[in-house]
Amino acid sequence: TVALTVDDTVIYFTMNASADAISALFRMPKSGGVPAVLDDGVIAPIQIDGPTLVYTRMVATPQSGGFSITYPNVIQLGDQCLFDTLPNAGGTRSVQGAPAIDGAGGVLWLASSSGSAPPSILRWDPVTATTSVVGSASSVYVTGFASDADHLYLAELTDSSTATTTIFAMPSTGGTQGQLASVPGQVSIAGVDSDSVYVAPTAFGGTMAGGSFTRIDKATGVATALSDVSGSVANRVHDSNVYWALGDRVLRSPKAGGPSEVVLDLGDESTSILAMAFDDCNVYVAGTVSSPPTSAGRTTASSAIWGQSLPA
């Protein structure tokens, strides 16, 4: 999975240098230039918290008997390029869900010691520099994980026979976990704002599912379908719109509902947009460009990042 995020001056992204390489974390100026490698073995997504980056990286963990096993762990990269591996808690060892950041600078993630049990919800406290277990998912099939200033949101596939996903909410520091809404299909959490949680279809078994970009009201749990996004790869929430990628295009529709419009068209059907990010005025996308098949039927793919100002 490709990750892409931006701050005031810099683009951060993950990408594989070759087909058999472990993905690395890169940084480059928004104006373009040669990307610099910051870290290796990084797994999407990347979260920015002021001068700090938070992400997941494969880390070799010592075991009894003098050998190591590589597990995903949450990494904090500070403004002086100093790495810290945030500790797990409660006997967990492997990160199962991408990190999220709450309004107090706490870092939250899912971790487990067994693939057969629902993962625990962990929170690292920046004041005490310690990690604690603040809750647990109710299912092993967590498809989405996000936070706002004081709450954590999980999307869980609660009924595989009917492909129903339930969205749960709980205080980020721990407390009662309540059901916010259930929606049809397998969805992930595309974004959160002050009023709503936004979900969109996610790939299952390599196949994109059909469905709608849906807004869920935090106060009432009422779900409102905004736009059909069947086949979309990347989904985000920004300003007053929801955005999604289809092939070489980015489309958007208003959060309040309404017709969709194309805001970026690369004009190349061999291009697939895999991730997107925003600043106040621009959209940035990362993706792959496939070459025409050779006489032997082989194709190659190169990676690129594009940027364009957003229409008003």
Side-chain angles (χ1 to χ4, degrees), residues 53-94:
L53 296 181
V54 181
Y55 52 88
T56 306
R57 185 225 286 160
M58 302 302 292
V59 175
T61 303
Q63 307 290 306
S64 60
F67 67 97
S68 296
I69 295 179
T70 300
Y71 294 113
N73 278 266
V74 175
I75 305 296
Q76 186 180 57
L77 174 61
D79 56 352
Q80 300 300 316
C81 287
L82 299 176
F83 296 91
D84 283 321
T85 301
L86 301 186
N88 287 321
T92 61
R93 61 188 181 186
S94 180

Side-chain angles (χ1 to χ4, degrees), residues 260-284:
S260 63
E261 64 173 336
V262 176
V263 296
L264 172 65
D265 188 346
L266 298 175
D268 184 355
E269 293 184 355
S270 67
T271 299
S272 295
I273 294 172
L274 303 176
M276 70 181 82
F278 300 89
D279 58 21
D280 290 342
C281 303
N282 305 284
V283 56
Y284 303 85

